[in-house]
Amino acid sequence: AAAATTTTATATSTTSLQKKMEPLGRDVDDDAPTALDAFAAEMDASDVAAANAAAASAPRTRPPGLVVVASLLDRIPNLAGLARTCEVMGAEALVMRDKKATTRPEFTQISVTAEKHLPVREVPARRLASYLRALAREGYALIGLEQTRGAVALETFQFPKKTALVLGREREGVDADLLSLLDECVVIKQVGLIRSLNVHVSASIAIHAYAAQHA
C-alpha cells in the first residue's frame, strides 16, 4: 500500500488490503508551547545540535504551505524524485529520515539540484509521531496518502492551505500507529489491475493536486 490507489473492481479484496485503523483525528491543545520547540524538547542533545546545524545551512524558508513527510521512505530514487517534484511545485519543505541521502550520486542524478533550493528537514522515523504532533499544534492538517477504510478520493478532496502530506513505506504504507494521528487519508482511484502506483508517482499526483488548488 505504498502508493495510495484503489480499484473500481469488486469489493472482494477490501478485507485483504490492510487491516489498519482508520484515521480518528486528534485533540490539539491550543495553549501548547511552540510546536517545534516541543518537538525539540523530546530530542537528545546530539539530535538538537544536528538539527540546528542543518537549519543553518538550509535554503531560505518558504511560506507555510505543503510539507511532504517522507520519513518512512528509504529508496533513494523515490526520495530524489520527491525532492524534484516538491521543488517544482513549490512545496514548503520535504521531510526525510536522513539528509545525507541528498549527497549520494543516485539522488543527485534524479533531483538535478532540487535539494539546493528546497528546504529539506531531517526527522528520523522514530521521531515521526512527535514531529506530526508538533505540526498539528502549528495548525497543519495531517493528511495521509494511503489505502485505508474511510479514505477520500483525491479528486474530491480540498487540501487545507497548511497541509502535511504523510507518505507510507514503499511496501507497507503508513504505520498503523501513525494513522490515528491523521485527520484524513486520501486515495487515488485506478481502473487497472495492478493494485498500486509507485509512492513517488502517487505523491507527485497529490502534490500537483494541492498546488492546483492553491495556485
Side-chain angles (χ1 to χ4, degrees), residues 50-51 53-55 57-59 94 96-104 107 118-123:
S57 60
L94 172 64
M96 298 170 50
R97 67 171 66 182
D98 185 358
K99 286 182 65 175
K100 291 194 292 292
T102 62
T103 65
R104 295 177 59 172
F107 186 100
L118 171 75
V120 178
R121 302 173 186 169
E122 181 171 300
V123 178

Side-chain angles (χ1 to χ4, degrees), residues 45-106:
S46 62
D47 285 332
V48 173
N52 289 341
S57 60
R60 181 176 299 178
T61 301
R62 295 185 177 191
L66 179 66
V67 176
V68 178
V69 182
S71 293
L72 297 178
L73 275 63
D74 55 16
R75 295 182 183 173
I76 299 298
N78 285 335
L79 292 166
L82 277 172
R84 187 167 177 172
T85 300
C86 287
E87 202 288 316
V88 169
M89 292 294 159
E92 176 187 343
L94 172 64
V95 180
M96 298 170 50
R97 67 171 66 182
D98 185 358
K99 286 182 65 175
K100 291 194 292 292
T102 62
T103 65
R104 295 177 59 172
E106 59 266 46

Side-chain angles (χ1 to χ4, degrees), residues 140-172:
Y140 286 82
L142 306 182
I143 309 300
L145 186 57
E146 180 63 282
Q147 289 177 332
T148 192
R149 185 175 58 186
V152 180
L154 176 64
E155 61 266 28
T156 65
F157 186 74
Q158 182 66 41
F159 284 98
K161 176 63 175 176
K162 294 175 70 172
T163 288
L165 182 66
V166 182
L167 309 179
R169 301 179 191 276
E170 276 90 350
R171 293 184 65 85
E172 296 84 2

Side-chain angles (χ1 to χ4, degrees), residues 4-14 17 147 153 155 187-196:
T5 61
T6 186
T7 68
T8 57
T10 68
T12 55
S13 62
T14 7
L17 285 180
Q147 289 177 332
E155 61 266 28
V187 65
I188 300 169
K189 290 185 177 180
Q190 71 176 43
V191 296
L193 297 179
I194 299 175
R195 183 182 159 201
S196 63

